[in-house]
Amino acid sequence: MANEAKEMLGDVFTPSPEIVANATVKSFEEMTRLADKDLQTFWGARAEEFEWFKKWDKVLDDSNKPFYKWFVGGQVNIAYNCLDRHVKTWRRNKLALIWEGENGDLRTFSYHALNREVCKFANVLKSMGVKKGDRVTIYMGRVPELPIAMLACAKIGAVHSVVYGGFSVEALHGRIEDSQSSVVITCDGSYMNGKIVELKKIVDEALKRAATVEHVIVYKRTGHEVYMEQGRDYWYHELVALPIARAIGNNRCDTEVMDAEDPLFLLYTSGTTGKPKAILHTHGGYMVGIATTLQWVFDLKEEDRWWCSADPGWITGHSYIVYAPLLLGATSFMYEGAPTYPYPNRWWSMIEKYGVTVFYTAPTAIRGLMRFGEAWPNRHDLSSLRLLGTVGEPINPEAWKWYHRVIGKQRCPIMDTWWQTETGMFMITPLPVVNLKPGSATRPFPGIEAEVLDETGKPVKPGEEGFLVLKRPWPAMLRTIYGDPDRYVNQYWSKYPGVYFTGDSARKDEDGYFWIIGRVDDVIKVSGYRLGTAEIESALVSHPAVAEAAAIGLPHEVKGQAIHAYVLLKQGREPSDALIEDLRQHVGHEMGPIAKPEKITIVDKLPKTRSGKIMRRVLKARAQGLPEGDITTLEE
Ligand code: WT7
């Protein structure tokens, strides 16, 4: 590992003079100095870019750590700043969203049109009794109605909880129940890889297990037949056609005045132990943080066409498909389906067709598409691109260089952005004007203070591995874990008092560049998707043949990590290939296809501590033929 790191340190990519000349922020150092001098003035100035119903009294209130508050006393609505603010200007005629379906369907929305659709749907939600503070679960494919539903919730002050459309029954049920949602918004199905994902069927099954839901709104995407329950299920297109949707006769709906600290959304993510936790983000600070980072890091200009290839169901999509691009009045492209459908040139063909200028994706996708060879991208004119980005996991230098050479034609700097569901916004990231080292996310964004600590809380020496922490609050930070403030404190603020613990390990080199290594907890990153061992294990244990299960992540060439599971069968159950396949299918049914273990091994014993905790670390070491480390707590 040490040698590999040294090798990587060898390459430095310097931005061209044109890029520097055109960049909005020309000096990273200057901005960092400004923020360090006075953090509150720095973020206060960023907040001035937006329309507030009432200006804040104080930028940061840190009187009740770690429950920080931002823009205290301010009144604002993020949806107002995404839509209402723009439709008052020439931007009403600008494209907000360009969407291509997997089957080639094309839909575009000007700011005017997007605002109209959001207003109509907001009126529908209101007429169903959804009020400020109510939770709404959104479980849809990647269609424009997904961001429309999110914005409609934000507009009326409801709190959305988007569940990724690749999750399945139990994952969805758990998230509906924990958030106590009374309304679920879904689709009949979604297209992926030429096949239909049966979203409505999954909702029906999840609702048999959840009692809080009164209404289900179904957007018709595929048109295949689905079950509709009388009095519970309604078609989206029928609701938005009702006179109530066009309240005030003109497709309008007033935007709710929110407190800066009022909740905007919940997003479930997996953590160290137990079930997924609901990360809570708010209207004011989140808005300021995500817009500033998108503007500076990807240097978005009025004429740009931005494409973030993530799914809106994850934080990347929340921040950088839906909210931040609209806050900046940008034009976003969104694609429904798989990158290789029908051929591995699909993404490259759309970059050419729509003239995408800034493209942001995940290392796993780059590695996956690399396998098909250069001929696929080389068939397309990719000269519109000027900046590239990655997120989700460390990018290996080989993939970085391929992306840089084959996609960016050695012209486009790559912004490797490190951040988390919890941080809401980019935290360690280059700006286009800094020197790049393939595999490093470079340095903390202005105003952010990151450090690498050893077990005792002392900074490690340059080049040494340690725990990555953040030492100052930032505006888009999570405010709490919904319904479990103690867990918020324990999970993030207790390892080192007063310091935010990221759950990642990292190194910092002599130049102050950060190199993220990976998670130090029970989080597995499969193709950049964050999954918890606990959820996978509980899906396995819910199978009638399984007594106990342990899941670990092992290195995988394309996915980064792949899930390996070890299963102890109940007495009287015989191991067989058919049973193993059945277990994989069961996990897929309960959790979703991404959680299906790569490999399941039936064992008659799991390594445990004397207190009965499974030692996944030992399983991991054994599977890779590595030393088992400290096993003094291992039971006989
Ligand atoms: C974890 C957070 C933030 C959007 C997507 C992931 C890993 C994220 C990078 C990067 C190395 C990265 C970390 C982090 N991660 N970006 N550029 N380089 N690792 O959000 O699902 O909350 O996962 O993703 O391990 O802790 P998430």
Side-chain angles (χ1 to χ4, degrees), residues 269 315-316 390-394 416-422 502 504 516 519 525 528 530:
T269 192
I315 192 68
T316 314
T390 71
V391 60
E393 51 174 328
D416 178 350
T417 59
W418 176 89
W419 58 297
Q420 310 178 301
T421 305
E422 292 87 342
T502 64
D504 278 4
I516 311 296
R519 301 289 305 191
K525 278 269 171 159
R530 179 165 162 183

Side-chain angles (χ1 to χ4, degrees), residues 267-270 279 310 314-317 320 360 363 390-395 415-426 428 439-441 468 500 502-505 515-521 523 525 528-531:
L267 189 56
Y268 285 84
T269 192
S270 39
I279 302 301
W314 301 87
I315 192 68
T316 314
Y320 298 110
Y360 184 46
T390 71
V391 60
E393 51 174 328
I395 181 162
M415 304 295 105
D416 178 350
T417 59
W418 176 89
W419 58 297
Q420 310 178 301
T421 305
E422 292 87 342
T423 70
M425 65 184 220
F426 309 149
I428 302 180
S440 167
L468 180 67
Y500 173 87
T502 64
D504 278 4
S505 65
W515 300 75
I516 311 296
I517 297 164
R519 301 289 305 191
V520 293
D521 54 11
V523 169
K525 278 269 171 159
Y529 295 123
R530 179 165 162 183
L531 300 170

Side-chain angles (χ1 to χ4, degrees), residues 165-469:
F167 275 137
S168 196
V169 182
E170 187 48 35
L172 176 62
H173 159 240
R175 287 157 174 79
I176 291 174
E177 190 135 291
D178 186 81
S179 64
Q180 296 281 301
S181 296
S182 56
V183 173
V184 173
I185 306 163
T186 189
C187 299
D188 49 356
S190 65
Y191 289 117
M192 192 50 71
N193 263 314
K195 292 196 272 295
I196 290 176
V197 182
E198 296 270 1
L199 295 174
K200 178 61 167 61
K201 230 184 192 160
I202 294 169
V203 170
D204 290 337
E205 208 178 323
L207 292 194
K208 288 196 189 125
R209 306 180 193 177
T212 58
V213 175
E214 288 160 26
H215 298 301
V216 179
I217 303 175
V218 187
Y219 176 73
K220 189 180 269 188
R221 168 60 183 140
T222 55
H224 74 298
E225 199 168 330
V226 295
Y227 167 75
M228 295 290 280
E229 186 169 305
Q230 265 271 311
R232 185 194 74 180
D233 302 349
Y234 300 88
W235 287 108
Y236 185 105
H237 64 272
E238 288 178 2
L239 294 174
V240 293
L242 295 173
I244 187 106
R246 286 180 283 107
I248 330 174
N250 199 17
N251 303 319
R252 280 197 293 125
C253 168
D254 288 333
T255 304
E256 194 74 29
V257 174
M258 306 297 285
D259 190 275
E261 281 290 310
D262 275 338
L264 170 63
F265 66 83
L266 305 179
L267 189 56
Y268 285 84
T269 192
S270 39
T272 305
T273 48
K275 48 179 194 154
K277 41 197 178 156
I279 302 301
L280 182 103
H281 284 287
T282 55
H283 274 258
Y286 177 77
M287 169 182 86
V288 174
I290 62 171
T292 305
T293 44
L294 182 64
Q295 165 106 71
W296 290 11
V297 174
F298 287 104
D299 196 29
L300 285 194
K301 307 272 202 281
E302 212 60 79
E303 62 275 20
D304 270 316
R305 285 188 164 190
W306 159 253
W307 181 13
C308 166
S309 78
D311 191 283
W314 301 87
I315 192 68
T316 314
H318 279 56
S319 298
Y320 298 110
I321 295 177
V322 182
Y323 288 113
L326 295 174
L327 286 168
L328 298 179
T331 299
S332 254
F333 173 68
M334 181 169 151
Y335 166 59
E336 175 181 46
T340 49
Y341 187 84
Y343 300 109
N345 65 330
R346 182 64 184 266
W347 276 9
W348 320 128
S349 75
M350 293 186 298
I351 289 177
E352 176 174 23
K353 179 173 175 190
Y354 298 107
V356 172
T357 56
V358 186
F359 179 58
Y360 184 46
T361 191
T364 183
I366 298 165
R367 289 194 297 266
L369 291 168
M370 244 171 96
R371 285 188 311 170
F372 295 100
E374 291 174 31
W376 291 104
N378 287 346
R379 281 166 54 180
H380 298 280
D381 177 5
L382 303 179
S383 61
S384 58
L385 290 172
R386 64 177 190 86
L387 264 180
L388 299 172
T390 71
V391 60
E393 51 174 328
I395 181 162
N396 47 312
E398 194 201 348
W400 196 99
K401 286 176 189 164
W402 188 87
Y403 193 31
H404 188 253
R405 180 175 57 83
V406 179
I407 306 306
K409 311 293 179 204
Q410 289 170 318
R411 287 181 298 107
C412 307
I414 299 174
M415 304 295 105
D416 178 350
T417 59
W418 176 89
W419 58 297
Q420 310 178 301
T421 305
E422 292 87 342
T423 70
M425 65 184 220
F426 309 149
M427 299 299 283
I428 302 180
T429 173
L431 301 186
V433 297
V434 310
N435 290 343
L436 303 173
K437 302 181 188 184
S440 167
T442 79
R443 284 173 298 174
F445 190 81
I448 305 303
E449 192 181 348
E451 193 51 86
V452 182
L453 304 181
D454 68 12
E455 201 51 68
T456 69
K458 279 207 302 287
V460 299
K461 293 200 198 74
E464 277 177 19
E465 180 172 345
F467 299 112
L468 180 67
V469 300

